[in-house]
Amino acid sequence: MSRVIAVTNQKGGVGKTTTAINIAASLAEAAGKKVLLIDADPQGNSTSGLGIERENLNGSLYDLYTGSKTIFDVIYPSPIERLKVIPSNIDLLGAELELASKEGREAVLKDAVASVKDEYDFIFIDCPPSLSLLTLNALVAADSLLIPMQCEYFALEGIGALYKTFSLIKDTFNPSLQIEGILLTMFDGRNSLAHQVADELRKHFGDKVYNTRIPRNVTLAEAPSHGKPVILYDMNSKGAQSYLELAKEIVGNETGVG
């Protein structure tokens, strides 16, 4: 059964786009899943990180929101055969104005995704690091949230704000929304604070916290500049191996947790 997972955190710099690209790629390449990655962030980093030129798009998520193209018109191939992409660029900022006066504006993406959902095992949405109409559309379209978190003190404050947003969306727009999992990123096992934050998250969220931890890894930072997910850039790197482990963990979870 297809799962639509929004990769989101209202705090920037937590490895959100890195996670969106690499978990989508790992599930497609190593687990043989059919995956669609929707770049819902106007920065377009998931787009360029998969080798698609943001400046030369014949169609993008913006066109889907404005109604000038259907979802079928804006799906692109990626370097991995079973991974497809709906790209974005800075034009997406204009979609907020287009959506503001549209009836049912919070469900435009959900309605579009419904027409392709059965074609994929997983659909990931890379969300902007802010609460906006673009993020709202992503959270209404999603079945669950994957939340990357850096192991630092302020991350615990950020998760509280995000959980309030999750509860609001669940109560108002998407009653079936679940938390897929919380992913610890940029993890440094030598840092005692990292372990303290991890323990605190486990205490509050239990098995919603993935066992897999994504380490600080230079290869993860280098791969996007080559337009490749890390498993194509350096399969043997710690970064690649950690996302492959996460893919196994996600495949093993038949449902998210509420």
Side-chain angles (χ1 to χ4, degrees):
M1 183 178 175
S2 179
R3 289 152 69 180
V4 182
I5 301 173
V7 183
T8 185
N9 192 323
Q10 289 165 230
K11 187 178 186 301
V14 297
K16 177 182 59 65
T17 295
T18 297
T19 293
I21 291 172
N22 289 300
I23 189 53
S26 296
L27 284 165
E29 182 72 2
K33 302 297 183 181
K34 292 186 70 177
V35 183
L36 175 64
L37 175 58
I38 301 174
D39 188 349
D41 189 337
Q43 295 180 84
N45 290 334
S46 279
T47 299
S48 60
L50 285 169
I52 299 170
E53 292 186 24
R54 289 173 295 201
E55 295 76 20
N56 297 310
L57 298 176
N58 293 318
S60 68
L61 186 59
Y62 170 78
D63 298 296
L64 190 153
Y65 277 132
T66 60
S68 60
K69 293 183 184 291
T70 71
I71 193 167
F72 300 98
D73 299 325
V74 296
I75 295 176
Y76 287 63
S78 82
I80 293 174
E81 183 180 354
R82 286 178 292 272
L83 173 59
K84 307 299 182 191
V85 187
I86 295 180
S88 289
N89 56 25
I90 199 69
D91 292 347
L92 188 58
L93 286 173
E96 295 231 43
L97 293 174
E98 300 276 352
L99 287 168
S101 59
K102 187 174 286 193
E103 189 174 344
R105 57 187 177 269
E106 74 281 348
V108 174
L109 185 58
K110 179 181 180 179
D111 293 341
V113 165
S115 60
V116 298
K117 191 171 180 180
D118 290 343
E119 297 179 22
Y120 298 94
D121 299 304
F122 291 92
I123 297 175
F124 288 93
I125 308 173
D126 182 16
C127 299
S130 60
L131 187 57
S132 62
L133 263 177
L134 297 175
T135 307
L136 178 58
N137 262 268
L139 302 189
V140 170
D143 298 316
S144 57
L145 309 183
L146 194 166
I147 305 167
M149 280 192 61
Q150 191 174 350
C151 286
E152 57 181 27
Y153 174 74
F154 290 114
L156 295 174
E157 293 184 354
I159 197 76
L162 182 60
Y163 204 82
K164 285 182 182 177
T165 300
F166 162 73
S167 299
L168 178 64
I169 301 299
K170 187 177 176 73
D171 292 343
T172 311
F173 298 107
N174 187 357
S176 61
L177 187 64
Q178 301 175 320
I179 295 205
E180 184 76 25
I182 296 170
L183 177 66
L184 303 180
T185 61
M186 306 178 198
F187 190 84
D188 184 349
R190 300 166 300 179
N191 186 328
S192 61
L193 178 60
H195 290 284
Q196 289 172 21
V197 172
D199 291 343
E200 199 68 25
L201 286 169
R202 280 267 180 212
K203 192 183 302 180
H204 284 88
F205 296 101
D207 60 5
K208 294 179 186 180
V209 181
Y210 289 115
N211 293 321
T212 304
R213 297 170 177 180
I214 309 301
R216 287 191 178 277
N217 182 246
V218 68
T219 312
L220 284 172
E222 291 173 350
S225 66
H226 296 268
K228 294 179 179 181
V230 71
I231 59 169
L232 295 187
Y233 181 66
D234 184 355
M235 171 71 89
N236 296 317
S237 68
K238 288 183 179 179
Q241 291 301 310
S242 62
Y243 277 108
L244 290 170
E245 283 299 313
L246 179 62
K248 290 179 187 175
E249 195 169 350
I250 288 176
V251 169
N253 295 336
E254 291 187 355
T255 59
V257 287

